[in-house]
Amino acid sequence: MFDAPAVPSAHDHERLRTTFADLCAVRSPSGGERRIADDVLGRLRRLGLRVEEDDTAPVLGGDAGNLLCRIPAAGGTAEDPDCGGTAPWVLLCAHLDTVPVGAVVRPACVDGVWRDAGGGVLGADNKATVAALLVLAEILALRPVGAAVELLLTVQEEPQLRGVTAMDHGVLRSRTGVVVDHPSPQGGLVVGAPGHVRFEAHLTGRAAHAGIAPEQGRSAVVAAARAVLALPAGRLPDGSTVNVGLVEGGAGAGVPGAPVVTNVVPAHARLVGEIRAPDDDALQRTVDACEAALHDAVHDPSGPVDLDLTLETRFRPYAHAASAPVVLAAEAALRSVGLTPRPFADAGGSDANVLNARGLPTVNLAGGNRGAHEAGEAVDDVDLGRTLDLLAAVVRGVAV
């Protein structure tokens, strides 16, 4: 047994503030993470740590891949980080991307609260955790402990977890994982989250002159309207949700710069939406109901059109039992930094969904940030510091 790691010092917390401010100032929209990836690569390699970038960038149409850094346990080396298999592994995960930000971010801490000085999106989702992981990496590189740590920094998390989904999970050595990526008061512990299916429906009818021969046409727009009305909407009794996020159609639909015309019965329309559900049975049931509603709507005798429907599972649901080791370990870490654990099932998704689906038990912890994705996003300085303390406590619990 090795000594437990020291609690991060005041100097570590000051370095965390500087690191966080630096990262927030780096533009890193989903698919455009190159600058922040290079920044993070440089910081970790200057610590003498080995970092690998995977080859998902061209697959996802982005400019950077996922980063994986392994921090050896005490007595380990870069070649043998877990001391011949005697030291346990733990995965700590955060994402590098943010939602699109229009202006340059100017992070500032005023009265103990971090915000963008211009009132925009700060990027604490998820740069507060990225900054904490970088400082923790420095602590562990200088003072290794009895656990080997994998830092996974993903790309394109915001557009339905694309980075972590595309990566090769076979390279991971950890048997448990922690994500800190929920925008709610600290102490929150996500023990369940829904699955997500994206649907895209292309409707094809028959064009005709709208004034001279409308009866010869079959309107894809009218069929799309029927389909939207026929689909379940909002929250369903079993906890599933359905939302249509895009409806478009008309003559020239989907053609950039095409003029809007009203004298043609439109032959093309498109619907894009999502289905979420808390478990696999509810997810399949809701998907089946939506598929049936779409088929019935487009085959209505009053104006049938052809349907090309694509269903894509973006991530699977998960649910951890209260007695699951990963939950108990997270609760112990929360208590050790003075937080009362608050387990709950969430309606959103995170990289934890994909990691759990691939067989790596993972929980998602709350980071305390407020207004994620919104102008005026904020995080208290005390919560930023406690994120570092919490991640150190997670490693401490594994190392014991």
Side-chain angles (χ1 to χ4, degrees):
M1 182 183 296
F2 300 100
D3 292 337
V7 173
S9 66
H11 178 65
D12 295 327
H13 282 102
E14 188 55 42
R15 200 162 63 254
L16 172 63
R17 295 183 183 98
T18 301
T19 303
F20 177 61
D22 289 345
L23 294 179
C24 286
V26 178
R27 191 184 298 272
S28 55
S30 302
E33 299 96 340
R34 185 71 266 159
R35 285 181 59 202
I36 195 167
D38 287 340
D39 185 303
V40 169
L41 282 166
R43 291 173 187 266
L44 292 172
R45 285 171 176 167
R46 283 193 292 274
L47 296 174
L49 298 172
R50 182 174 295 178
V51 192
E52 302 168 357
E53 180 175 350
D54 69 14
D55 58 0
T56 57
V59 175
L60 299 176
D63 60 8
N66 302 298
L67 306 182
L68 179 63
C69 174
R70 294 192 176 95
I71 305 175
T77 64
E79 291 71 28
D80 183 20
D82 61 350
C83 309
T86 61
W89 285 94
V90 62
L91 176 76
L92 305 178
C93 177
H95 64 87
L96 296 172
D97 61 317
T98 67
V99 294
V101 177
V104 174
V105 177
R106 294 179 291 136
C109 186
V110 179
D111 296 329
V113 181
W114 286 92
R115 291 188 174 90
D116 170 37
V121 177
L122 175 63
D125 174 16
N126 195 215
K127 291 178 180 177
T129 305
V130 175
L133 290 178
L134 291 175
V135 175
L136 180 61
E138 184 172 352
I139 293 171
L140 296 177
L142 295 173
R143 305 190 300 275
V145 299
V149 176
E150 288 182 303
L151 302 185
L152 176 61
L153 301 165
T154 64
V155 295
Q156 300 196 41
E157 187 271 353
E158 297 292 359
Q160 284 80 53
L161 320 179
R162 299 186 74 216
V164 71
T165 299
M167 73 172 289
D168 175 9
H169 291 249
V171 303
L172 298 178
R173 304 180 187 181
S174 299
R175 293 295 176 264
T176 187
V178 172
V179 173
V180 183
D181 187 25
H182 195 274
S184 62
Q186 289 189 322
L189 166 60
V190 179
V191 294
H196 179 287
V197 172
R198 178 185 186 274
F199 64 85
E200 182 165 341
H202 290 261
L203 288 67
T204 304
R206 179 189 300 136
H209 194 291
I212 298 173
E215 53 279 323
Q216 295 179 14
R218 287 186 285 121
S219 174
V221 167
V222 171
R226 284 198 304 267
V228 171
L229 293 174
L231 284 167
R235 192 175 305 280
L236 309 183
D238 64 0
S240 301
T241 60
V242 180
N243 183 61
V244 177
L246 174 70
V247 182
E248 65 176 9
V255 180
V260 176
V261 294
T262 61
N263 64 346
V264 177
V265 175
H268 300 285
R270 182 168 74 114
L271 305 177
V272 183
E274 69 166 32
I275 301 162
R276 297 182 186 231
D279 58 68
D280 284 318
D281 288 343
L283 186 62
Q284 188 59 58
R285 189 164 56 245
T286 308
V287 167
D288 290 345
C290 289
E291 189 171 6
L294 287 168
H295 279 283
D296 288 346
V298 301
H299 292 127
D300 189 289
S302 65
V305 301
D306 295 329
L307 172 67
D308 180 9
L309 177 63
T310 301
L311 297 164
E312 178 187 0
T313 300
R314 289 293 179 89
F315 46 87
R316 306 298 308 177
Y318 72 90
H320 293 304
S323 59
V326 69
V327 173
L328 297 177
E331 291 179 338
L334 288 165
R335 292 191 185 97
S336 74
V337 297
L339 293 169
T340 300
R342 191 179 70 257
F344 66 97
D346 189 39
S350 73
D351 284 341
N353 283 72
V354 177
L355 294 168
N356 279 300
R358 302 291 173 85
L360 177 60
T362 304
V363 292
N364 183 16
L365 305 181
N369 51 311
R370 306 182 297 279
H373 302 181
E374 300 175 8
E377 178 192 12
V379 63
D380 292 347
D381 187 66
V382 66
D383 287 339
L384 176 65
R386 200 152 42 194
T387 295
L388 173 60
D389 295 338
L390 178 57
L391 289 166
V394 169
V395 176
R396 182 162 59 246
V398 175
V400 170

